[in-house]
Amino acid sequence: MATQVNSLDAWTQARNALAEDLTSTLELLATEPFSADPDSDFQKARQQRNRILDQLQTLAVTGIKEVDAAIAGGTLIQQIEGLAQDAEDEANRLKAAAKTVANIAGAVDKAAAVVTKIASLPFL
């Protein structure tokens, strides 16, 4: 019997972490003065926003796929769940912290690691 990937806790945690990261990034962009300078915090935050949207898109695509039940209950999923918990914890810390590009990038790095692992699952 196959398992829908979007029914896994790790998938949901990754989605939630990315949603929190996006909220934090949009909050930063709302307060950061516009700058065309690629080294500015404004442009770096826009890059993170785009990165988050790309990760959400990848996660959505994998969410409609199925994995074998043995894989869904295996050690790879346990590893992914650990990464997902780290990503969710980091997103929650970011939610309560000062919004900086470095903080956002660190949170997105953790969420992106989960999405990458999920996308590498051997799908049916």
Side-chain angles (χ1 to χ4, degrees):
M1 172 120 189
T3 299
Q4 194 79 23
V5 172
N6 64 13
S7 70
L8 300 172
D9 288 341
W11 190 94
T12 303
Q13 286 178 301
R15 183 204 59 214
N16 292 347
L18 286 167
E20 286 296 336
D21 296 344
L22 182 59
T23 298
S24 293
T25 303
L26 294 176
E27 287 172 0
L28 176 65
L29 282 170
T31 60
E32 194 66 33
F34 175 82
S35 174
D37 178 0
D39 291 328
S40 69
D41 282 348
F42 181 83
Q43 289 299 326
K44 289 177 182 177
R46 285 181 64 175
Q47 291 171 355
Q48 291 303 315
R49 181 203 58 200
N50 292 342
R51 187 172 166 218
I52 293 165
L53 294 174
D54 288 346
Q55 294 297 310
L56 283 167
Q57 185 176 22
T58 299
L59 194 62
V61 169
T62 60
I64 62 174
K65 296 181 178 180
E66 295 181 333
V67 293
D68 187 271
I71 292 166
T75 58
L76 182 56
I77 295 298
Q78 291 171 350
Q79 292 171 14
I80 291 171
E81 286 173 354
L83 291 171
Q85 186 62 55
D86 290 345
E88 190 173 55
D89 291 347
E90 189 67 23
N92 288 332
R93 276 192 289 280
L94 178 62
K95 186 172 148 180
K99 308 303 186 268
T100 67
V101 174
N103 288 346
I104 289 168
V108 177
D109 286 344
K110 289 190 180 274
V114 180
V115 175
T116 300
K117 280 279 196 190
I118 290 172
S120 70
L121 285 170
F123 295 104
L124 298 176

